[in-house]
Amino acid sequence: MENINENLPEEEDNILTLTDENGNETSFEYLDVVEYNGKEYLLLLPADQLETEIVILEIEPVSEDTENYLAVEDDATLQAVYAIFKERYKDVLNFAD
């Protein structure tokens, strides 16, 4: 599993810059956190790309102030988390299935 650490720029509250284990940085727009089966999942939208595919990462607490974000490999978990997100925002966002 890939560990990703968070670096929050102070000037843009909803933009996260994540650094992967190879030192590559990618910016994302924060969408939401969804709880599923006792775990929390971070939902993001790539900020620097034209893609509109949502990225879902599992939140792994490391300490009180630090979290790691892990790639989710299980399709059933991805679908369940996305379904919760869609239900939560069905009146706000338009989803293309």
Side-chain angles (χ1 to χ4, degrees):
M1 284 193 165
E2 184 175 4
N3 286 336
I4 302 175
N5 295 313
E6 170 185 23
N7 297 314
L8 267 173
E10 292 181 22
E11 65 275 3
E12 297 182 40
D13 292 340
N14 63 335
I15 299 295
L16 303 174
T17 301
L18 302 181
T19 305
D20 68 17
E21 58 197 18
N22 297 320
N24 301 316
E25 292 186 351
T26 305
S27 294
F28 295 91
E29 180 180 350
Y30 168 85
L31 298 176
D32 201 0
V33 171
V34 169
E35 187 173 332
Y36 175 72
N37 279 347
K39 296 181 180 181
E40 290 186 319
Y41 296 89
L42 182 64
L43 286 90
L44 305 168
L45 191 62
D48 297 339
Q49 301 172 12
L50 298 177
E51 294 180 32
T52 57
E53 187 170 312
I54 291 175
V55 175
I56 300 173
L57 301 171
E58 181 183 334
I59 300 172
E60 177 188 59
V62 175
S63 68
E64 219 173 280
D65 300 327
T66 307
E67 300 173 328
N68 282 336
Y69 302 108
L70 308 173
V72 179
E73 303 293 331
D74 181 56
D75 284 337
T77 299
L78 289 171
Q79 290 175 9
V81 169
Y82 185 62
I84 293 168
F85 175 76
K86 279 178 59 175
E87 179 63 26
R88 189 178 288 175
Y89 290 95
K90 68 181 177 188
D91 296 330
V92 180
L93 300 172
N94 292 322
F95 295 94
D97 289 325

